[in-house]
Amino acid sequence: MKLFFIALVPENDLKRKLEEIKNSFATIYKAHRALKLPPHITLIPPFKIEQKKEPALIKVIRQTAANTYSFEIQLNGFGAFPPRVIFINVLNSIALNDLCNRLYENAQELLPGKPQREYHPHITIATRDLKRQKFDEAWPVFKKQEFRETFPVHHLYLFGHDGRTWKILGKFPFN
């Protein structure tokens, strides 16, 4: 079994800006786990499938991307899942929800069932290695900060875990 997830990744200047925020946070609050991945918005959280099904997964992702038009993502401020996660809020949209739903529908034979909890898109700044004390220090600072950006998305990304780290396995262009 191999571990994958599907995401959207901001590009260019915004990607660098988000990486700077993550690096600064890691330095100040000693939480480095979020640095293992580029800034991203998870569409399908980590799931396992047999390696022999990887070509079918890639085909579904490629077809879904080809039937998707580019759209804009809006980022608005910071949020948290206390006591370990701080993130940048992604405003949910019809286009984002539609893409997520179509991925689950198109790959239903390959993916586990859709999670029961409501989809909450975000870009993680700090995650599980953030100590509760550091969360209590950081969250009052970040919840007051403004952060507003809009960016276009033109690709789906497939990430795979090689046993040590996550790697981008494919970048699939939208129509």
Side-chain angles (χ1 to χ4, degrees), residues 9-172:
V9 177
E11 298 180 11
N12 305 323
D13 291 340
L14 180 58
K15 182 179 179 187
R16 283 188 286 281
K17 188 175 187 177
L18 294 167
E19 286 171 341
E20 286 173 16
I21 292 169
K22 288 171 65 166
N23 281 313
S24 175
F25 192 99
T27 300
I28 295 168
Y29 298 105
K30 310 299 183 222
H32 301 275
R33 187 178 184 103
L35 298 178
K36 292 183 177 191
L37 284 160
H40 66 278
I41 301 165
T42 301
L43 296 171
I44 308 293
F47 59 94
K48 288 182 180 180
I49 63 169
E50 297 172 34
Q51 194 155 0
K52 68 182 180 183
K53 293 183 178 179
E54 187 175 342
L57 176 65
I58 289 170
K59 182 178 178 183
V60 166
I61 296 169
R62 182 176 285 117
Q63 289 173 339
T64 303
N67 290 311
T68 301
Y69 292 102
S70 295
F71 60 95
E72 287 200 332
I73 296 283
Q74 293 181 6
L75 306 178
N76 186 13
F78 292 86
F81 299 131
R84 294 263 197 268
V85 179
I86 295 178
F87 55 84
I88 294 174
N89 286 312
V90 174
L91 296 182
N92 214 339
S93 68
I94 292 170
L96 187 57
N97 270 311
D98 177 62
L99 176 57
C100 189
N101 288 333
R102 285 187 299 113
L103 279 167
Y104 274 109
E105 185 177 308
N106 296 344
Q108 63 186 335
E109 295 174 13
L110 300 167
L111 299 175
K114 191 173 178 182
Q116 295 300 315
R117 66 177 188 252
E118 185 180 339
Y119 179 54
H120 191 282
H122 60 278
I123 298 175
T124 302
I125 300 302
T127 188
R128 291 175 279 191
D129 66 333
L130 180 61
K131 303 270 189 267
R132 176 170 269 170
Q133 175 189 355
K134 295 295 185 180
F135 176 90
D136 291 342
E137 286 176 34
W139 180 230
V141 173
F142 277 83
K143 74 179 179 182
K144 295 177 189 172
Q145 285 188 27
E146 285 201 23
F147 186 88
R148 293 188 201 284
E149 293 282 347
T150 300
F151 67 97
V153 288
H154 305 289
H155 302 88
L156 281 175
Y157 287 78
L158 176 64
F159 286 80
H161 201 276
D162 66 6
R164 293 186 325 129
T165 189
W166 290 101
K167 300 206 184 290
I168 294 174
L169 300 180
K171 179 179 176 181
F172 304 91

